[in-house]
Amino acid sequence: MIDGKKVLFSGMQATGNLTLGNYLGALKNWVTLSDEYECFYSVVDMHSITVRQDSAELRSRARKLLTLYIAAGLDPEKNCIYYQSHVSGHAELAWILNCFTYMGELSRMTQFKDKSAKHADNINAGLFTYPVLMAADILLYQADVVPVGIDQMQHLELTRDIAQRFNAIYGDVFTVPEPYIGKVGARIMSLQDPSKKMSKSDENPNASIYLMDDPDTIMRKFKRAVTDSVGAVRYNEEEQPGICNLIDIYCACTGKSREETEKEFDGKGYGDFKTAVGESVVEKLRPLQEKMAELEKNKDYIDSVIKNNAERAAYVSNKTLRKVQKKVGFPIRP
Ligand code: ATP
Ligand code: LTN
């Protein structure tokens, strides 16, 4: 609890341009939750280097991402928006938690398996212990709730296990966090292969809608989206995964239900439906894109957000860190 409010922590990696999946599955929920909780939203740049990055590009993407948090509607006066690498407690707690996490647990993480298959030439120790750094992010702020997409559930369960293990030895040190998975948009799939999630690191640019895509590009990508030969707009997961994904996107952008959507497009072809989905996305992204352009012109403002919020994050996180250091037996600072 901070000032009588429950604490929320979440983060995103600056590893690519954000997609509609990131927005509908995560960012949009962050904005909804920001009134109710004391929120920490981090740009987790330390996680990003588990995969090789171009330095200049990472730095510029991290700044874009932080700006995008604000453009999406997070007020940096009320929410702590900061770079993970600016708060040294993340790395310090991660080291300690590494000593409370088993190799077997980390070997079972599907993200590790996926990413090591994808980057077979660089299966580094950081990629392996990635979930421990994530646990440190969350536990450092004593977060009660962590909004993420379904793909991060396994990491969150590990975080809970680590927290409970630590608490069982040393008493109630960590709050055990609960996941928060939004109802609509929890898993947006690739437009080119509806069996895969839409991902910012997908090599095929037609598979993902990027938040900064212009209207023409968005419409074109939806026109090319993979569907099926059934020919009816129905939510049928077995036979029509592509259409289900488009229905989910449409519902998330318009607030309509699946049933309403099926009714609206009853008897209409895929062409009409795809156009409507594209238009709903264009309208949803328009205000965000306009705000982004405005914020990017205001360098001093963004710089002040970065500085002030990192100081606040450091202040809050240091309380947990000092407590943990004491519990594990590190010498007290004179
Ligand atoms: P990468 O391709 O680099 O692994 P990603 O696009 O999968 O990236 P992350 O940085 O891993 O994105 O995730 C940021 C947040 O967005 C997480 O909370 C994640 O659960 C959510 N998210 C990512 N992809 C989707 C998706 N397709 N649908 C819904 N939520 C998603
Ligand atoms: N692993 C997450 C990003 C992430 C995160 C976190 C999310 C790092 N630390 C803490 C929630 C809480 C991802 O890849 N989406």
Side-chain angles (χ1 to χ4, degrees):
M1 289 275 191
I2 298 180
D3 296 337
K5 275 187 172 175
K6 285 194 170 182
V7 178
L8 179 156
F9 185 97
S10 201
M12 274 194 211
Q13 295 196 62
T15 40
N17 293 319
L18 281 216
T19 70
L20 189 64
N22 300 129
Y23 180 69
L24 298 177
L27 204 47
K28 191 164 157 267
N29 291 326
W30 293 10
V31 178
T32 317
L33 294 165
S34 67
D35 280 337
E36 198 181 327
Y37 293 91
E38 185 69 32
C39 300
F40 294 83
Y41 291 122
S42 186
V43 170
V44 291
D45 47 357
M46 287 161 65
H47 277 102
S48 302
I49 63 163
T50 52
V51 172
R52 205 65 75 222
Q53 305 286 339
D54 176 89
S55 319
E57 204 166 289
L58 176 61
R59 193 169 296 121
S60 124
R61 277 184 173 154
R63 181 150 180 131
K64 274 217 165 80
L65 181 55
L66 187 135
T67 310
L68 198 69
Y69 285 4
I70 306 171
L74 294 171
D75 179 353
E77 299 289 325
K78 295 199 193 118
N79 303 278
C80 190
I81 293 174
Y82 72 100
Y83 293 126
Q84 183 188 33
S85 64
H86 284 190
V87 180
S88 59
H90 290 256
E92 292 180 71
L93 182 62
W95 171 254
I96 297 173
L97 298 182
N98 264 318
C99 304
F100 292 84
T101 309
Y102 300 113
M103 303 282 285
E105 289 177 309
L106 294 174
S107 323
R108 284 195 288 276
M109 296 293 121
T110 55
Q111 184 173 299
F112 171 68
K113 291 188 215 164
D114 292 349
K115 295 225 164 157
S116 41
K118 214 163 153 187
H119 305 278
D121 55 335
N122 181 21
I123 306 177
N124 60 71
L127 193 64
F128 190 64
T129 61
Y130 174 115
V132 183
L133 179 58
M134 177 160 164
D137 298 341
I138 297 166
L139 301 180
L140 206 44
Y141 298 90
Q142 306 287 358
D144 296 279
V145 57
V146 183
V148 281
I150 281 169
D151 59 302
Q152 293 299 313
M153 263 310 276
Q154 203 186 21
H155 288 163
L156 210 60
E157 267 155 23
L158 178 67
T159 302
R160 289 169 55 87
D161 290 344
I162 297 172
Q164 279 160 347
R165 184 172 304 147
F166 198 93
N167 286 351
I169 305 172
Y170 299 106
D172 270 344
V173 177
F174 294 124
T175 302
V176 180
E178 296 289 338
Y180 176 93
I181 309 266
K183 280 181 231 54
V184 271
R187 200 165 154 82
I188 303 296
M189 310 310 280
S190 152
L191 297 184
Q192 291 298 313
D193 176 0
S195 67
K196 272 189 353 195
K197 74 164 189 161
M198 185 181 284
S199 160
K200 52 180 142 66
S201 55
D202 201 308
E203 270 141 39
N204 181 351
N206 288 323
S208 308
I209 301 290
Y210 299 107
L211 296 185
M212 291 301 135
D213 277 350
D214 60 50
D216 287 348
T217 309
I218 294 175
M219 295 307 289
R220 182 170 42 77
K221 287 183 181 175
F222 277 109
K223 282 206 180 97
R224 288 195 190 159
V226 169
T227 50
D228 51 67
S229 55
V230 177
V233 179
R234 287 280 145 71
Y235 204 91
N236 177 345
E237 283 174 89
E238 298 280 292
E239 286 171 44
Q240 300 179 263
I243 288 294
C244 289
N245 189 36
L246 295 182
I247 294 179
D248 282 340
I249 293 174
Y250 188 68
C251 292
C253 290
T254 58
K256 291 178 186 168
S257 68
R258 288 174 182 171
E259 295 72 29
E260 282 169 330
T261 307
E262 284 178 342
K263 221 177 259 166
E264 186 179 346
F265 294 95
D266 189 27
K268 295 200 178 127
Y270 287 171
D272 287 349
F273 179 51
K274 284 176 166 183
T275 304
V277 179
E279 281 167 358
S280 75
V281 171
V282 169
E283 285 318 309
K284 190 82 199 165
L285 297 185
R286 193 190 303 281
L288 186 146
Q289 295 184 346
E290 285 171 0
K291 187 83 210 252
M292 187 72 187
E294 188 189 312
L295 286 168
E296 279 186 320
K297 284 189 222 138
N298 203 341
K299 182 174 177 301
D300 291 349
Y301 170 68
I302 300 292
D303 283 345
S304 74
V305 166
I306 291 171
K307 185 164 179 290
N308 296 340
N309 280 331
E311 280 168 9
R312 178 166 146 65
Y315 175 79
V316 175
S317 60
N318 261 330
K319 287 193 195 167
T320 306
L321 188 63
R322 296 286 171 259
K323 195 166 169 187
V324 171
Q325 288 170 332
K326 195 169 158 196
K327 290 284 184 186
V328 297
F330 292 170
I332 311 283
R333 286 158 204 256

